[in-house]
Amino acid sequence: MAETGAAVETENTEKNAEENVDVPAEKPVEEPDADTEEKVEKEPDAAESKVKELTDKEGMNIKNLACERCKSIVLRPGLANATQKEFFLPHMKVKSANQEPNDGETLQDFWLVKGMYTFENVGFTNTVQNIKYLICADCEVGPIGCQELQNKDNFYVAVDRVIYT
Amino acid sequence: MAKTYDFLFKLLLIGDSGVGKTCVLFRFSEDAFNSTFISTIGIDFKIRTIDLDGKKIKLQIWDTAGQERFRTITTAYYRGAMGIMLVYDITNMKSFENIRNWIRNIEEHASSDVEKMILGNKCDMDDRRVVTKDKGEQLAIEYGIKFMETSAKASINVEEAFVTLARDIKAKMDRKLDTGGQGKGSSPVQVSGTTTQKKREWKFCALL
């Protein structure tokens, strides 16, 4: 049945490509300015230790991944691999009054999830510019992650956009 | 990686526009927690996991996402669906009356053994109710299908409805296996009673 699921995905990708929706293009990561370099160097260390605490020897998640707002369980333990990868994700929260829908940030720490049926509860947005974003299935906050362009069976959940229960 | 489920059911939400199929969708969109990005691009479908008698069931749930306005719901949309939620709004009589039309549409286009359920959605507005619970029940009895009133705001009722529908689908599958069908237990969707063979092909848009 998983195979049928794959077919679903492909068909939808074509069907739902909405031309008129304004979506962020993939932005290159900005080069840090010279004077911020030191700060930037520190951040990966903090992130690294956070990921370490959340993973077992094989790099798999040891806790549930859950929605930070409604606590809905997104993924059960032992099903995702901690991965370094760069994706631009629009903000989940309104951070300033003049924030545009497409404003966001480039993140580096993700959980790699293989196959859409591996998730416990998750929502998928319509496909825009070939990307499907992941949201909480219950309160619909997001994006908490996205689908990989090249391999549609790979899903990435941002380490900093979920809580651990 | 080990398979994380025992069964996979594809469910559809059908009903007039504005009956609250997508009520849940915009539940929280007003507050500061949500940026406008998600509501702008819209939701395609959801995966939910429920437990039924110790079996893990994955539900893949699709919404018509407004296609019904254009009367374009045809065979393509129903293909492969094992369960259909017929949703009306208890504050909107027309949406209730149209349930009959939707059932006719399903009979015409969907697999004949698809499990159905009627949901009277209230989106938390009991003071504006125009369809009594009794009327909803009567309609369901007439068609021999189950009925529930739900509130998208208290989403637990919605979940109960999905569990009920999933249980009926599973019971139907189990019966088929018991009566020694093909014995393979591969597909719970059996196309029968129709002259045209329906291919398993998926062309859907969005969901609850």
Side-chain angles (χ1 to χ4, degrees):
Chain A
M1 276 198 192
E3 286 83 352
T4 332
V8 173
E9 213 175 297
T10 325
E11 293 263 356
N12 273 293
T13 304
E14 286 163 24
K15 183 158 189 193
N16 294 327
E18 290 170 32
E19 303 84 5
N20 299 329
V21 180
D22 197 17
V23 158
E26 274 190 279
K27 291 180 189 169
V29 186
E30 282 170 33
E31 289 289 327
D33 295 338
D35 56 347
T36 58
E37 226 163 68
E38 207 180 316
K39 182 174 164 277
V40 171
E41 268 175 25
K42 277 179 190 165
E43 278 174 356
D45 291 343
E48 211 171 285
S49 68
K50 180 184 177 181
V51 171
K52 216 168 195 176
E53 277 172 30
L54 296 166
T55 50
D56 63 14
K57 275 174 265 168
E58 275 82 46
M60 307 300 277
N61 61 312
I62 54 174
K63 291 184 169 181
N64 286 314
L65 274 56
C67 172
E68 66 174 43
R69 178 210 251 161
C70 75
K71 318 288 184 271
S72 168
I73 294 175
V74 176
L75 192 86
R76 295 285 180 189
L79 297 172
N81 239 117
T83 313
Q84 289 264 310
K85 187 106 178 169
E86 279 184 1
F87 287 108
F88 175 86
L89 294 181
H91 290 305
M92 292 211 291
K93 300 169 193 174
V94 178
K95 299 199 166 189
S96 63
N98 54 0
Q99 181 176 315
E100 296 289 324
N102 298 337
D103 287 351
E105 57 191 339
T106 299
L107 298 169
Q108 272 95 24
D109 287 300
F110 288 89
W111 295 107
L112 168 60
V113 180
K114 294 273 189 182
M116 68 166 82
Y117 302 116
T118 306
F119 287 99
E120 190 76 5
N121 297 292
V122 76
F124 301 84
T125 66
N126 286 318
T127 305
V128 274
Q129 292 194 349
N130 243 343
I131 299 176
K132 263 192 181 331
Y133 294 93
L134 307 177
I135 60 166
C136 168
D138 283 300
C139 76
E140 294 167 355
V141 76
I144 58 170
C146 61
Q147 182 180 30
E148 190 174 60
L149 272 168
Q150 295 79 14
N151 185 345
K152 305 276 186 195
D153 217 29
N154 286 353
F155 297 90
Y156 291 86
V157 179
V159 168
D160 287 336
R161 292 195 173 191
V162 287
I163 57 166
Y164 300 89
T165 61
Chain B
M1 196 176 289
K3 207 174 157 198
T4 55
Y5 58 93
D6 299 299
F7 296 98
L8 171 64
F9 295 162
K10 322 237 171 181
L11 310 180
L12 307 182
L13 300 177
I14 299 275
D16 284 7
S17 297
V19 295
K21 297 196 301 297
T22 52
C23 197
V24 181
L25 237 100
F26 301 105
R27 213 159 25 136
F28 295 110
S29 60
E30 297 306 313
D31 69 29
F33 206 106
N34 242 351
S35 73
T36 51
F37 180 73
I38 299 299
S39 48
T40 305
I41 62 175
I43 299 166
D44 194 6
F45 63 94
K46 283 182 185 172
I47 302 285
R48 283 181 187 277
T49 307
I50 58 169
D51 184 278
L52 268 189
D53 313 322
K55 299 283 184 197
K56 265 205 168 191
I57 318 265
K58 294 276 171 187
L59 305 178
Q60 190 181 43
I61 311 166
W62 305 77
D63 189 351
T64 52
Q67 280 182 73
E68 67 274 10
R69 263 172 292 194
F70 311 107
R71 300 261 167 250
T72 51
I73 299 192
T74 54
T75 313
Y77 182 74
Y78 292 113
R79 269 180 202 137
M82 302 170 197
I84 298 176
M85 290 285 194
L86 289 143
V87 190
Y88 69 87
D89 176 359
I90 64 159
T91 68
N92 179 340
M93 184 56 80
K94 189 83 194 136
S95 74
F96 175 69
E97 290 164 356
N98 272 337
I99 290 291
R100 289 179 188 280
N101 295 334
W102 287 118
I103 291 176
R104 207 170 303 137
N105 192 270
I106 291 167
E107 281 168 352
E108 210 170 303
H109 295 291
S111 161
S112 63
D113 64 350
V114 67
E115 281 293 329
K116 296 178 284 289
M117 187 166 173
I118 297 176
L119 293 188
N121 195 31
K122 51 185 160 193
C123 279
D124 208 39
M125 290 185 289
D126 212 29
D127 51 325
R128 287 169 49 199
R129 176 195 284 274
V130 293
V131 184
T132 63
K133 194 173 176 185
D134 198 48
K135 271 196 141 182
E137 276 166 353
Q138 285 305 317
L139 183 71
I141 289 167
E142 189 185 324
Y143 285 101
I145 56 184
K146 285 189 180 163
F147 169 76
M148 266 177 104
E149 277 198 352
T150 55
S151 161
K153 202 168 183 187
S155 60
I156 188 144
N157 295 346
V158 178
E159 182 165 337
E160 262 177 48
F162 281 123
V163 170
T164 304
L165 187 60
R167 176 166 284 125
D168 290 348
I169 294 170
K170 187 168 174 295
K172 185 173 271 182
M173 281 173 65
D174 292 346
R175 273 199 305 276
K176 272 187 191 168
L177 292 179
D178 283 349
T179 53
Q182 286 79 12
K184 284 183 180 172
S186 54
S187 173
V189 185
Q190 197 185 327
V191 184
S192 58
T194 49
T195 47
T196 50
Q197 180 74 17
K198 285 159 188 163
K199 283 183 290 176
R200 302 260 146 62
E201 186 187 306
W202 287 77
K203 256 182 197 161
F204 285 160
C205 231
L207 139 61
L208 162 91

